[in-house]
Amino acid sequence: NYKSGVPICDQIVNGFVRMKALGLVESGEQLPSVRALAMELGVNPNTIQKAYQILETNGIIYSVKGKGSFISDDAAADTAVIMSAKRDFRAAVSAAAELGLSQVAVSRLEKRIINLLKEKYKPPC
């Protein structure tokens, strides 16, 4: 999304992190090549390469020279996903504080979001 204000590279990284968190990609699954994904998304291959480097640094993927990039095993990738979520949460809370939201207001918002998510993902009875 070119209009979101979030850099394309970050959107790609976040997309893979979300896919891993939701179980949409499995351990050992091969990612598209840099060139193929760049063509599919209509972005510069350097952007994809940078995103893959960030994902690898965070332990979400690993690369095998001459073979490509793959989703890391569940334990390492899950830890990376949790760390990424914590970073995002810290950034959001920091932004809210900088905008003048009190700790009480942030806590209320957090509870409201968690309750909405519980409802959204509540198993049918």
Side-chain angles (χ1 to χ4, degrees), residues 19-90:
M19 288 177 10
K20 177 60 183 155
L22 295 171
L24 300 174
V25 290
E26 300 201 13
S27 180
E29 187 173 329
Q30 187 168 9
L31 276 61
S33 70
V34 168
R35 188 172 295 151
L37 188 56
M39 288 179 61
E40 182 180 330
L41 298 177
V43 299
N44 189 307
N46 292 334
T47 302
I48 304 298
Q49 184 62 42
K50 183 178 176 185
Y52 279 15
Q53 286 173 347
I54 292 168
L55 289 164
E56 188 163 7
T57 299
N58 290 330
I60 296 169
I61 67 170
Y62 65 94
S63 296
V64 177
K65 194 167 182 101
K67 300 276 186 187
S69 297
F70 302 85
I71 299 294
S72 294
D73 69 355
D74 290 339
D78 288 346
T79 299
V81 167
I82 290 167
M83 289 173 54
S84 178
K86 286 180 178 180
R87 269 193 310 273
D88 291 347
F89 182 74
R90 273 194 295 275

Side-chain angles (χ1 to χ4, degrees), residues 66-117:
K67 300 276 186 187
S69 297
F70 302 85
I71 299 294
S72 294
D73 69 355
D74 290 339
D78 288 346
T79 299
V81 167
I82 290 167
M83 289 173 54
S84 178
K86 286 180 178 180
R87 269 193 310 273
D88 291 347
F89 182 74
R90 273 194 295 275
V93 170
S94 295
E98 288 173 7
L99 292 171
L101 266 68
S102 68
Q103 185 175 354
V104 171
V106 171
S107 293
R108 283 185 191 144
L109 181 59
E110 173 195 6
K111 287 177 186 174
R112 195 173 340 150
I113 291 168
I114 289 172
N115 287 335
L116 287 170
L117 289 171

